[in-house]
Amino acid sequence: DQQVKQNSPSLSVQEGRISILNCDYTNSMFDYFLWYKKYPAEGPTFLISISSIKDKNEDGRFTVFLNKSAKHLSLHIVPSQPGDSAVYFCAASGGNKLVFGAGTILRVKS
Amino acid sequence: GAGVSQSPSNKVTEKGKDVELRCDPISGHTALYWYRQSLGQGLEFLIYFQGNSAPDKSGLPSDRFSAERTGGSVSTLTIQRTQQEDSAVYLCASSPTNGGNIQYFGAGTRLSVL
């Protein structure tokens, strides 16, 4: 069973515009959520996180929104840059491990 | 070291052979995790070590898979009698505490079973 879902396998955005990546989860026991970014042939790198007691966390161009009632979180990147092109993974934690979504490939066109 | 180090970066093996994958976590990190990513899939949890506690092996897909962590530092993931479905990228991560905190990943080992 997929507890964390990223329903969009890919997203293409024009440079300078906003990128919105979405993630849904099913387990209400998750208490911490993270976004990771992955370039080819590299490991995932941590981007931004949010605790379940918050609904928004912002870090520079990156903002994560959490809607607990909908069990939905999103990552906003604004303005998008070509260097943001990568695979983005949503992850959730409720214990000793992270549960990852399948990832969304973001392509930022210049 | 500065980050999580994994070796080898690539491994090609024949079906039925055993393989060992190595992970060197960030110095001082007490928690160590193994994940694998099959083609087109997300990261799948395999096993978790925290200090001297018994590891959480709940993600290991079969008894052909095992892992150990010696001296609370380096970890080795062993796959016995490899099968073609074992082909994946095996990722190791470490974190300074257990559960809910940021995990720092290595670049992974790409395993190809022919």
Side-chain angles (χ1 to χ4, degrees), chain A residues 47-93:
Chain A
L47 195 55
I48 192 169
S49 63
I50 188 167
S51 165
S52 61
I53 62 173
K54 296 188 175 182
D55 56 19
K56 178 182 174 181
N57 187 26
E58 189 173 349
D59 183 1
R61 297 186 297 116
F62 304 91
T63 303
V64 55
F65 295 92
L66 176 63
N67 182 335
K68 283 182 65 178
S69 61
K71 295 191 178 69
H72 176 84
L73 65 155
S74 61
L75 173 67
H76 293 210
I77 307 172
V78 58
S80 302
Q81 299 174 353
D84 296 329
S85 297
V87 180
Y88 288 79
F89 290 98
C90 167
S93 174

Side-chain angles (χ1 to χ4, degrees), chain B residues 36 44-46 57-65 86 90:
Chain B
R36 75 174 175 183
E44 173 193 2
F45 167 78
L46 297 177
K57 304 178 182 180
S58 60
L60 294 179
S62 78
D63 59 7
R64 296 186 295 104
F65 288 71
D86 299 334
Y90 289 81

Side-chain angles (χ1 to χ4, degrees), chain B residues 5 9 13 16 40 46 70 73-74 78 90 99 110:
Chain B
S5 177
S9 54
T13 190
L46 297 177
T70 53
S73 180
V74 172
T78 301
Y90 289 81
R110 180 174 295 278

Side-chain angles (χ1 to χ4, degrees), chain B residues 1 3-7 22-27 32 34 69 73-76 92 94 106:
Chain B
V4 177
S5 177
Q6 291 188 246
S7 60
R22 176 188 168 103
C23 173
D24 242 306
I26 293 172
S27 178
L32 185 147
W34 283 97
R69 188 179 185 191
S73 180
V74 172
S75 177
T76 302
C92 176
S94 68

Side-chain angles (χ1 to χ4, degrees), chain B residues 66-109:
Chain B
S66 63
E68 61 178 25
R69 188 179 185 191
T70 53
S73 180
V74 172
S75 177
T76 302
L77 177 69
T78 301
I79 309 173
Q80 295 179 309
R81 305 180 303 283
T82 52
Q83 304 295 312
Q84 287 184 332
E85 61 263 28
D86 299 334
S87 297
V89 177
Y90 289 81
L91 291 154
C92 176
S94 68
S95 70
T97 61
N98 64 313
N101 286 298
I102 300 164
Q103 296 179 18
Y104 299 86
F105 283 83
T109 294

